[in-house]
Amino acid sequence: WLVLGDDSTLSLSTMTSAGRSAPETVASGASFRVRGVTLADGDSVFLAVDIDPLLADRTTNLRIVLLLSLLLALLGAGASRLLVRRDLERIRELTGTADRIASGDLHAQLPEAVGVSEVDELAASLKRMVSSLTTSFDQLQASHAQLRTFLGA
């Protein structure tokens, strides 16, 4: 096989004597893929196919693949941004509620879990912790009240 410019001339003996086995491009004009065969009577027959349309299709396909890849990358980045933004807003909300609880407001309302992300697990854990703290605090106050009654203070 040989790729030639349209103004090139070639005989089968030139192809075989040069030892060409890989495609080769000869500059100028259209490019052809050429296959030559020697017939029994000694004549040579060449079959040539114009490959310029194939090269144009390849370039078009490459552009399409690159554009689709870029589009998918942008869509992925946008979706990631939305997901991260949602979780960051929930973390800010949890942080504010945790600060109120740390300052003594054990009745601060924690946001409800809306999914199964790590942020939602954190909200559920904080809610259990506040419930446990509230129960312990109530028991401590009840014990303190009983102690006062018992001591007659």
Side-chain angles (χ1 to χ4, degrees), residues 75-123:
L75 286 174
S80 296
R81 183 173 183 216
L82 288 175
L83 292 173
V84 167
R85 176 189 275 173
R86 183 190 67 128
D87 280 348
L88 284 176
E89 287 174 5
R90 301 241 327 128
I91 289 172
R92 284 188 197 107
E93 189 177 350
L94 287 173
T95 302
T97 305
D99 286 342
R100 287 195 306 276
I101 293 168
S103 65
D105 181 9
L106 294 179
H107 300 290
Q109 292 295 317
L110 286 162
E112 293 294 322
V114 293
V116 291
S117 71
E118 287 81 6
V119 176
D120 295 320
E121 290 178 21
L122 176 62

Side-chain angles (χ1 to χ4, degrees), residues 42-64:
D43 288 337
S44 298
V45 176
F46 293 95
L47 176 64
V49 177
D50 184 7
I51 62 169
D52 283 338
L54 297 174
L55 295 175
D57 288 347
R58 184 183 68 177
T59 302
T60 301
N61 289 340
L62 181 61
R63 285 183 182 145
I64 289 171

Side-chain angles (χ1 to χ4, degrees), residues 3-84:
V3 179
L4 299 173
D6 60 82
D7 63 339
S8 298
T9 58
L10 186 69
S11 68
L12 189 57
S13 61
T14 307
M15 286 176 59
T16 55
S17 66
R20 296 178 180 147
S21 60
E24 184 177 318
T25 301
V26 178
S28 81
S31 297
F32 291 88
R33 187 161 300 266
V34 179
R35 174 74 179 183
V37 178
T38 302
L39 301 175
D41 64 359
D43 288 337
S44 298
V45 176
F46 293 95
L47 176 64
V49 177
D50 184 7
I51 62 169
D52 283 338
L54 297 174
L55 295 175
D57 288 347
R58 184 183 68 177
T59 302
T60 301
N61 289 340
L62 181 61
R63 285 183 182 145
I64 289 171
V65 167
L66 289 175
L67 287 174
L68 287 176
S69 297
L70 179 63
L71 178 65
L72 288 174
L74 290 174
L75 286 174
S80 296
R81 183 173 183 216
L82 288 175
L83 292 173
V84 167

